[in-house]
Amino acid sequence: MTDFKSAGFIGMGVMGEPICRNLARKCGLPVLGYDSNPAPLQRLAAHGVTTAASIAEVAQGSDIVFLSLPSGEIVAQVARGPQGLLAHARPGQLIVDTSTSPVDTTRALAAEFAAKGATFIDAPVARTRAAAEAGTLSVMVGGEAAVYARVQPLIATFASEITHCGPVGSGQVVKILNNMVLFETVTALSEARAIARRSGVDPQVLLETFTRGSADSFALRNHGLKAILPGEFPEKAFPVEYARKDLRYALALAEQTGVDAPGARNVDHWFAAAIEQGQGNRYFPVISRIIDADAADSD
């Protein structure tokens, strides 16, 4: 299945733990895991994951290392720290970042690992925690074709859709823009809901009718009908603060490429307002309640 002899995994959070579990159960390699929180590693032990005491131990004991971390800034810390991945990188080693990270950070890290003879590629994941549990994530890979061919069977242990997007950084470009379009669509649905309600039309009639017209979308069926309509914005789902981080990466990319992106800036306005009103830890479609501030009293 693969020419790697050992795998490492750093970051056992909401997505990382189920990704690591699928990798360990299906890849046929010993997996060495590290996280600052011991609880997920205690659960993963039953699936054959060995706990490492440090990032350095993972780096030293793994031919391929997967990262699943909250931000590109933390990815950079894990790579560049005094006892980080770069300090222990060796020729032939492969680092796969499944986090959503800034494109410029990704490409800079790729160059730094290349100087050590190692390879750093981006493979950000999309879809939900349920998809991570089921091993049906969508993964967008940025790296050379030969490297993609080597890592694809391992990614297939936790993903049902794998797309080679181009050279290093390309996976991040596609993932960041995917999220930007999602956020803009959810904002448009929130605006439409507010306008309909204030015009005397039941938001449920509006959104359900959208599913039968050209406004139908994944965002409508998953975020509109399941979150905006019933007012379900749990704290354990993809929160405003994380969403805004991804959106900021998109805005930075727009600025770097000379593209004016007022739609994305509009989303950032609502994300900022949600955080200011203490909703930053709630599922990001909560912006629908910020956009239509008196809806809760009127529904």
Side-chain angles (χ1 to χ4, degrees), residues 30 77 85 92 94 112 140 223 231 242 250 264 269 282 285:
Q77 290 169 18
L85 295 174
L94 177 59
E112 291 165 43
M140 305 141 200
H223 301 78
Y242 276 33
H269 163 78
R282 293 197 172 276

Side-chain angles (χ1 to χ4, degrees), residues 18 55 60 107 129 192 201 204 236 253 262 292 298:
I55 293 167
Q60 291 165 343
R107 290 176 172 161
R129 168 148 186 146
V201 172
Q204 184 163 345
K236 296 294 184 184
L253 195 59
D292 193 9
S298 304

Side-chain angles (χ1 to χ4, degrees), residues 18 23 31 49 73 76 99 105 119 136 162 201 223 245 248 257 272 275 286 295:
L23 179 71
V31 177
V49 178
E73 291 75 15
S99 326
T105 299
T119 302
T136 56
I162 309 170
V201 172
H223 301 78
K245 174 211 45 139
R248 285 301 181 87
T257 53
I275 292 169
V286 75

Side-chain angles (χ1 to χ4, degrees), residues 44-269:
L44 288 166
H47 302 280
V49 178
T50 302
T51 298
S54 64
I55 293 167
E57 186 179 338
V58 175
Q60 291 165 343
S62 309
D63 296 333
I64 180 169
V65 178
F66 289 87
L67 308 178
S68 179
L69 299 165
S71 70
E73 291 75 15
I74 295 174
V75 169
Q77 290 169 18
V78 166
R80 294 170 175 152
Q83 288 296 313
L85 295 174
L86 278 164
H88 299 280
R90 59 183 183 276
Q93 191 173 43
L94 177 59
I95 312 297
V96 182
D97 182 19
T98 72
S99 326
T100 302
S101 301
V103 178
D104 50 359
T105 299
T106 296
R107 290 176 172 161
L109 286 171
E112 291 165 43
F113 276 99
K116 296 289 193 84
T119 302
F120 181 94
I121 67 169
D122 47 309
V125 302
R127 295 182 180 155
T128 61
R129 168 148 186 146
E133 298 276 2
T136 56
L137 291 168
S138 174
V139 178
M140 305 141 200
V141 182
E144 296 304 319
V147 178
Y148 171 75
R150 290 180 68 206
V151 77
Q152 191 273 345
L154 294 180
I155 294 175
T157 64
F158 55 83
S160 56
E161 299 282 352
I162 309 170
T163 307
H164 183 212
C165 300
V168 69
S170 302
Q172 297 293 1
V173 171
V174 175
K175 169 63 191 298
I176 289 164
L177 296 181
N178 173 84
N179 283 15
M180 182 188 82
V181 171
L182 170 65
F183 302 152
E184 291 189 41
T185 307
V186 169
T187 303
L189 290 170
S190 300
E191 292 171 349
R193 178 196 176 282
I195 295 166
R197 188 189 68 77
R198 295 181 185 203
S199 300
V201 172
D202 184 346
Q204 184 163 345
V205 171
L206 177 83
L207 296 186
E208 288 183 353
T209 305
F210 278 3
T211 68
R212 298 187 284 275
S214 55
D216 192 16
S217 67
F218 175 91
L220 170 63
R221 291 174 181 268
N222 286 274
H223 301 78
L225 297 182
K226 297 177 184 177
I228 293 172
L229 197 58
E232 296 288 336
F233 312 112
E235 293 187 5
K236 296 294 184 184
F238 189 32
V240 174
E241 287 172 347
Y242 276 33
R244 194 183 192 203
K245 174 211 45 139
D246 289 1
L247 182 68
R248 285 301 181 87
Y249 294 163
L251 287 166
L253 195 59
E255 185 175 350
Q256 290 159 14
T257 53
V259 174
D260 186 23
R265 292 201 305 274
N266 180 46
V267 179
D268 190 55
H269 163 78

